Amino acid sequence: MAPSIRSRSAERLVDIIITLHQHGSVNRNDLMRKFGITERTVYRDLQALSPIIEHDGEGQYRLTAPFQHRECERCAKGTSEPAQD
């Protein structure tokens, strides 16, 4: 059974979020090429993600500050041991 349009759209939205986490920002042309979708679909997807993404005014989209990837202090130090008090 082929995936429904709704499930493909949901998967694509998740993939866009993952792409933003990995690359920091992306433009709509890159999204159109990556997912093989039209400009209208890109705008619809970006609108659906508007509570957690922002446009920088220069053609790039990125996650808003609360959703941007941040490494924890222990990860940045390269250790997985719990912090000592």
Side-chain angles (χ1 to χ4, degrees):
M1 186 164 109
S4 70
I5 291 173
R6 183 173 281 171
S7 69
R8 284 192 311 260
S9 175
E11 287 176 18
R12 190 175 56 249
L13 293 176
V14 170
D15 286 343
I16 291 171
I17 293 168
I18 291 168
T19 300
L20 289 168
H21 268 285
Q22 292 173 337
H23 300 290
S25 66
V26 68
N27 68 44
R28 71 177 186 275
N29 291 324
D30 292 338
L31 295 174
M32 288 168 52
R33 278 191 295 277
K34 180 174 181 160
F35 298 109
I37 55 177
T38 65
E39 188 170 18
R40 181 178 177 187
T41 300
V42 169
Y43 280 120
R44 189 180 304 126
D45 288 352
L46 294 172
Q47 179 63 36
L49 295 171
S50 65
I52 63 167
I53 66 169
E54 59 189 7
H55 185 258
D56 71 359
E58 297 180 14
Q60 295 290 110
Y61 293 85
R62 64 178 174 244
L63 293 168
T64 57
F67 298 98
Q68 291 176 1
H69 177 71
R70 292 183 297 256
E71 285 192 13
C72 70
E73 189 175 307
R74 285 184 284 160
C75 297
K77 291 179 181 177
T79 180
S80 60
E81 296 177 20
Q84 300 293 320
D85 292 326

